[in-house]
Amino acid sequence: VQFVESGGGWVQPGGSLRLSCVASGFTFSSYHMTWYRQAPGKEREWVATISTAGSTGSSTNSADSVKGRFTMSRDNAKNTVYLQMNSLKPEDSAVYYCNARNVLTGALLKYWGQGTQVTVSS
């Protein structure tokens, strides 16, 4: 199992970034996918989840702190998830990670990638 996150960088408050995560080593389309983030000195926190594709497509859910600003999407053909981040705030600065969640047990896979650093400052 491998997750490779990319797309992070430095951006001014109010700016946008698009993160990508390429996953491998498991049946991507059969798992919910999630984004987490971890700021220095803080615990890793959940950001957003996108479900597997049902009859009406995938559904998403996100933390209140990012709701309305961040949008998660997935491309099963590319084993890739994205996180479009708009109206970024300094408190969004963190290392961002993706992971996969078992649809039956809800458990995350035990593997984590290296993450991608997002820094929001003026």
Side-chain angles (χ1 to χ4, degrees):
V1 175
Q2 190 175 24
F3 300 103
V4 180
E5 300 93 346
S6 63
W10 173 83
V11 64
Q12 291 185 333
S16 298
L17 284 174
R18 188 193 193 207
L19 307 184
S20 300
C21 171
V22 179
S24 60
F26 62 98
T27 306
F28 180 84
S29 60
S30 297
Y31 282 75
H32 301 324
M33 295 299 297
T34 69
W35 281 98
Y36 280 77
R37 66 186 181 186
Q38 187 168 21
K42 296 186 177 181
E43 293 189 355
R44 192 169 296 177
E45 67 170 346
W46 170 72
V47 175
T49 297
I50 187 166
S51 70
T52 56
S55 58
T56 58
S58 299
S59 62
T60 60
N61 194 16
S62 58
D64 288 343
S65 59
V66 307
K67 202 176 295 288
R69 299 187 297 121
F70 290 11
T71 302
M72 189 173 181
S73 60
R74 67 189 296 163
D75 185 339
N76 287 344
K78 297 181 179 180
N79 281 15
T80 301
V81 290
Y82 305 95
L83 186 67
Q84 177 66 45
M85 306 187 296
N86 299 326
S87 302
L88 282 161
K89 304 175 181 180
E91 51 264 42
D92 295 318
S93 296
V95 179
Y96 284 70
Y97 304 88
C98 71
N99 206 309
R101 189 177 294 280
N102 187 298
V103 298
L104 296 178
T105 66
L108 289 171
L109 296 182
K110 63 179 180 180
Y111 308 93
W112 293 90
Q114 82 290 347
T116 186
Q117 175 72 51
V118 172
T119 303
V120 185
S121 72
S122 53

